[in-house]
mmCIF file of all heavy atoms in Angstrom:
data_model
loop_
_atom_site.group_PDB
_atom_site.id
_atom_site.type_symbol
_atom_site.label_atom_id
_atom_site.label_comp_id
_atom_site.label_asym_id
_atom_site.label_seq_id
_atom_site.Cartn_x
_atom_site.Cartn_y
_atom_site.Cartn_z
ATOM 1 N N ASP A 520 9.693 1.210 8.877
ATOM 2 C CA ASP A 520 8.605 2.099 9.423
ATOM 3 C C ASP A 520 8.326 3.347 8.483
ATOM 4 O O ASP A 520 7.351 3.976 8.694
ATOM 5 C CB ASP A 520 8.909 2.503 10.855
ATOM 6 C CG ASP A 520 8.793 1.375 11.823
ATOM 7 O OD1 ASP A 520 8.135 0.377 11.463
ATOM 8 O OD2 ASP A 520 9.376 1.556 12.895
ATOM 9 N N ASN A 521 9.289 3.691 7.644
ATOM 10 C CA ASN A 521 9.158 4.760 6.720
ATOM 11 C C ASN A 521 8.330 4.425 5.497
ATOM 12 O O ASN A 521 8.101 5.315 4.699
ATOM 13 C CB ASN A 521 10.612 5.343 6.357
ATOM 14 C CG ASN A 521 11.253 5.942 7.561
ATOM 15 O OD1 ASN A 521 12.284 5.347 8.034
ATOM 16 N ND2 ASN A 521 10.828 7.078 8.042
ATOM 17 N N LEU A 522 8.145 3.124 5.235
ATOM 18 C CA LEU A 522 7.432 2.708 3.995
ATOM 19 C C LEU A 522 5.974 2.867 4.086
ATOM 20 O O LEU A 522 5.371 2.482 5.120
ATOM 21 C CB LEU A 522 7.882 1.300 3.652
ATOM 22 C CG LEU A 522 9.283 0.994 3.429
ATOM 23 C CD1 LEU A 522 9.451 -0.499 3.164
ATOM 24 C CD2 LEU A 522 9.818 1.773 2.209
ATOM 25 N N HIS A 523 5.348 3.458 3.096
ATOM 26 C CA HIS A 523 3.880 3.617 3.060
ATOM 27 C C HIS A 523 3.246 2.621 2.176
ATOM 28 O O HIS A 523 2.184 2.075 2.433
ATOM 29 C CB HIS A 523 3.499 5.044 2.552
ATOM 30 C CG HIS A 523 3.993 6.090 3.528
ATOM 31 N ND1 HIS A 523 5.253 6.618 3.431
ATOM 32 C CD2 HIS A 523 3.336 6.733 4.529
ATOM 33 C CE1 HIS A 523 5.427 7.531 4.391
ATOM 34 N NE2 HIS A 523 4.215 7.614 5.054
ATOM 35 N N PHE A 524 3.953 2.191 1.153
ATOM 36 C CA PHE A 524 3.416 1.195 0.214
ATOM 37 C C PHE A 524 4.533 0.046 0.061
ATOM 38 O O PHE A 524 5.717 0.317 -0.068
ATOM 39 C CB PHE A 524 3.192 1.782 -1.173
ATOM 40 C CG PHE A 524 2.157 2.787 -1.205
ATOM 41 C CD1 PHE A 524 2.476 4.209 -1.056
ATOM 42 C CD2 PHE A 524 0.806 2.470 -1.383
ATOM 43 C CE1 PHE A 524 1.552 5.178 -1.061
ATOM 44 C CE2 PHE A 524 -0.115 3.423 -1.356
ATOM 45 C CZ PHE A 524 0.204 4.784 -1.262
ATOM 46 N N ARG A 525 3.948 -1.187 0.119
ATOM 47 C CA ARG A 525 4.902 -2.337 -0.065
ATOM 48 C C ARG A 525 4.186 -3.179 -1.180
ATOM 49 O O ARG A 525 3.148 -3.702 -1.001
ATOM 50 C CB ARG A 525 5.088 -3.178 1.182
ATOM 51 C CG ARG A 525 5.523 -2.312 2.387
ATOM 52 C CD ARG A 525 5.842 -3.235 3.607
ATOM 53 N NE ARG A 525 4.749 -4.071 3.931
ATOM 54 C CZ ARG A 525 4.814 -4.968 4.941
ATOM 55 N NH1 ARG A 525 5.930 -5.109 5.646
ATOM 56 N NH2 ARG A 525 3.750 -5.741 5.291
ATOM 57 N N THR A 526 5.012 -3.363 -2.269
ATOM 58 C CA THR A 526 4.429 -4.239 -3.411
ATOM 59 C C THR A 526 5.071 -5.575 -3.119
ATOM 60 O O THR A 526 6.228 -5.808 -3.395
ATOM 61 C CB THR A 526 4.856 -3.633 -4.772
ATOM 62 O OG1 THR A 526 4.297 -2.300 -4.872
ATOM 63 C CG2 THR A 526 4.359 -4.525 -5.854
ATOM 64 N N LEU A 527 4.223 -6.502 -2.783
ATOM 65 C CA LEU A 527 4.629 -7.824 -2.348
ATOM 66 C C LEU A 527 4.479 -8.874 -3.464
ATOM 67 O O LEU A 527 3.485 -8.836 -4.240
ATOM 68 C CB LEU A 527 3.844 -8.281 -1.106
ATOM 69 C CG LEU A 527 3.952 -7.325 0.146
ATOM 70 C CD1 LEU A 527 2.936 -7.830 1.144
ATOM 71 C CD2 LEU A 527 5.350 -7.233 0.677
ATOM 72 N N ASP A 528 5.334 -9.867 -3.496
ATOM 73 C CA ASP A 528 5.102 -11.029 -4.286
ATOM 74 C C ASP A 528 4.222 -11.993 -3.464
ATOM 75 O O ASP A 528 4.567 -12.402 -2.434
ATOM 76 C CB ASP A 528 6.441 -11.711 -4.593
ATOM 77 C CG ASP A 528 7.234 -10.945 -5.641
ATOM 78 O OD1 ASP A 528 6.602 -10.275 -6.367
ATOM 79 O OD2 ASP A 528 8.548 -11.135 -5.679
ATOM 80 N N LEU A 529 3.071 -12.265 -4.001
ATOM 81 C CA LEU A 529 2.071 -13.166 -3.411
ATOM 82 C C LEU A 529 1.874 -14.355 -4.330
ATOM 83 O O LEU A 529 1.668 -14.220 -5.521
ATOM 84 C CB LEU A 529 0.770 -12.472 -3.074
ATOM 85 C CG LEU A 529 0.751 -11.342 -2.094
ATOM 86 C CD1 LEU A 529 -0.630 -10.749 -1.969
ATOM 87 C CD2 LEU A 529 1.277 -11.746 -0.753
ATOM 88 N N PRO A 530 1.920 -15.534 -3.755
ATOM 89 C CA PRO A 530 2.071 -15.956 -2.376
ATOM 90 C C PRO A 530 3.511 -15.688 -1.874
ATOM 91 O O PRO A 530 4.401 -15.451 -2.669
ATOM 92 C CB PRO A 530 1.796 -17.448 -2.343
ATOM 93 C CG PRO A 530 2.157 -17.883 -3.738
ATOM 94 C CD PRO A 530 1.768 -16.779 -4.689
ATOM 95 N N GLU A 531 3.625 -15.670 -0.569
ATOM 96 C CA GLU A 531 4.958 -15.347 0.050
ATOM 97 C C GLU A 531 6.039 -16.239 -0.476
ATOM 98 O O GLU A 531 5.907 -17.440 -0.492
ATOM 99 C CB GLU A 531 4.823 -15.560 1.601
ATOM 100 C CG GLU A 531 6.071 -15.237 2.393
ATOM 101 C CD GLU A 531 6.329 -13.706 2.430
ATOM 102 O OE1 GLU A 531 5.417 -12.914 2.124
ATOM 103 O OE2 GLU A 531 7.428 -13.370 2.891
ATOM 104 N N GLY A 532 7.156 -15.610 -0.783
ATOM 105 C CA GLY A 532 8.274 -16.391 -1.336
ATOM 106 C C GLY A 532 8.273 -16.618 -2.756
ATOM 107 O O GLY A 532 9.230 -17.128 -3.345
#
Side-chain angles (χ1 to χ4, degrees):
D520 290 341
N521 294 108
L522 298 178
H523 295 83
F524 297 93
R525 306 189 304 179
T526 302
L527 305 172
D528 285 335
L529 296 178
E531 182 74 11

